[in-house]
């Protein structure tokens, strides 16, 4: 079974709709991240969470919000989706407590299309 | 601030040829460096990482990378390319503000797509 899972894997929605992407992990890691990937731009950090009560904005947080419901769950919301939010979204985790090597482990991704 | 530059958005090699993917970083402190691979329709998978110690790091699938502080480089190599190596490769550096610091986010390069010709 995958250590980091994302649901849904694919989603097509319309402009203005509210969308939630979910991430769960069984690795027991304290840190979780949301990235978006666009062709030619690499990965850009949207939000990150060091623990349940510590949420931080990343490079491109405008238009997004997050919720860390538990250590194992981190969801990303698009309050009112727009077409330029069409992208591949990745969740990742890391375990800072275990020596702090900053290695991140990624989920399989969610492909979001906003029409 | 830390940053990563990957030279070449696309690299094409023949099967059996040397693979060389270039990564240069900028960091004011001893860096933690990573290479990740993304196969089509999949998430990112860690190939290898450098934190401290030996500067030549071996990873999975026959890849290795050498940390060269004087050149601020962390190039990825594989002696003989295989068709299954076709993927996108990302270099990343940790954004620790000082050695042993508390931030620990990764800064990614824009990626290099590797094609392998038969």
């Amino acid at each position: 079974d995958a250590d980091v899972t994302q649901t849904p894997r694919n989603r097509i929605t319309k402009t203005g709709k509210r969308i939630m992407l979910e991430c769960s992990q069984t690795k027991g890691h304290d840190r979780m991240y949301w990235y978006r990937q666009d062709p030619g731009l690499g990965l850009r950090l949207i939000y990150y969470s060091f623990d349940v009560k510590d949420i931080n904005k990343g490079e491109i947080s405008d238009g997004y919000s997050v919720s860390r419901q538990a250590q194992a769950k981190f969801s990303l919301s698009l309050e009112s989706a727009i077409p330029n939010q069409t992208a591949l979204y990745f969740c990742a985790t890391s375990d800072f407590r275990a020596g702090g090597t900053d290695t991140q482990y990624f989920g399989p991704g969610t492909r979001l299309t906003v029409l | 601030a830390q940053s990563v530059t990957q030279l070449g958005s696309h690299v094409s090699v023949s099967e059996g040829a040397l693979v060389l993917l270039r990564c240069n970083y900028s960091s004011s402190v001893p860096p933690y460096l990573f290479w990740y691979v993304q196969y089509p329709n999949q998430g990112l998978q860690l190939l290898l990482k450098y934190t401290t110690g030996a500067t030549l790091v071996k990873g999975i699938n026959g890849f290795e990378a050498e940390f060269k502080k004087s050149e601020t480089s962390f190039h990825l190599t594989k002696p003989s390319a295989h068709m299954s190596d076709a993927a996108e490769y990302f270099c990343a550096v940790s954004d620790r503000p000082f050695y042993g610091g508390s931030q620990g986010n990764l800064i990614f390069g824009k990626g290099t797509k590797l094609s392998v010709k038969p």
Side-chain angles (χ1 to χ4, degrees), chain B residues 22-72:
Chain B
R22 299 178 187 272
C23 173
N24 288 90
Y25 69 91
S26 171
S27 176
S28 58
V29 299
Y32 290 174
L33 294 159
F34 304 80
W35 275 101
Y36 283 84
V37 59
Q38 183 182 26
Y39 297 105
N41 301 312
Q42 295 187 26
L44 277 71
Q45 178 182 358
L46 180 68
L47 261 183
L48 50 80
K49 63 184 177 184
Y50 168 79
T51 53
T52 59
T55 56
L56 182 62
V57 181
K58 295 187 184 298
I60 61 173
N61 301 335
F63 284 92
E64 62 183 34
E66 187 171 11
F67 168 59
K68 291 188 176 181
K69 183 179 178 180
S70 61
E71 298 177 8
T72 62

Side-chain angles (χ1 to χ4, degrees), chain A residues 13-19 63-65 77-85 114:
Chain A
T13 190
K14 295 182 178 180
T15 297
K17 294 291 188 182
R18 185 178 188 273
I19 296 296
Y64 301 95
S65 62
S77 294
L78 288 67
E79 297 301 325
S80 179
I82 56 177
N84 76 359
Q85 291 177 313
V114 183

Side-chain angles (χ1 to χ4, degrees), chain B residues 14-25:
Chain B
S14 297
E15 192 172 20
L18 172 71
V19 175
L20 171 60
L21 304 183
R22 299 178 187 272
C23 173
N24 288 90
Y25 69 91

Side-chain angles (χ1 to χ4, degrees), chain A residues 78-97:
Chain A
L78 288 67
E79 297 301 325
S80 179
I82 56 177
N84 76 359
Q85 291 177 313
T86 293
L88 190 53
Y89 290 84
F90 287 104
C91 175
T93 73
S94 70
D95 188 357
F96 185 77
R97 296 164 301 184

Side-chain angles (χ1 to χ4, degrees), chain A residues 27-91:
Chain A
K27 299 182 77 67
H29 288 174
D30 52 338
R31 296 186 169 191
M32 298 187 74
Y33 308 80
W34 275 105
Y35 293 90
R36 67 176 279 174
Q37 183 182 23
D38 299 276
L41 297 180
L43 275 75
R44 293 182 291 168
L45 183 63
I46 306 173
Y47 270 96
Y48 58 104
S49 169
F50 286 171
D51 63 40
V52 174
K53 296 180 180 179
D54 187 354
I55 306 286
N56 304 278
K57 292 183 178 181
E59 178 187 355
I60 54 163
S61 59
D62 287 349
Y64 301 95
S65 62
V66 291
S67 173
R68 184 85 182 263
Q69 301 95 324
Q71 186 187 39
K73 295 184 182 295
F74 193 36
S75 61
L76 175 72
S77 294
L78 288 67
E79 297 301 325
S80 179
I82 56 177
N84 76 359
Q85 291 177 313
T86 293
L88 190 53
Y89 290 84
F90 287 104
C91 175

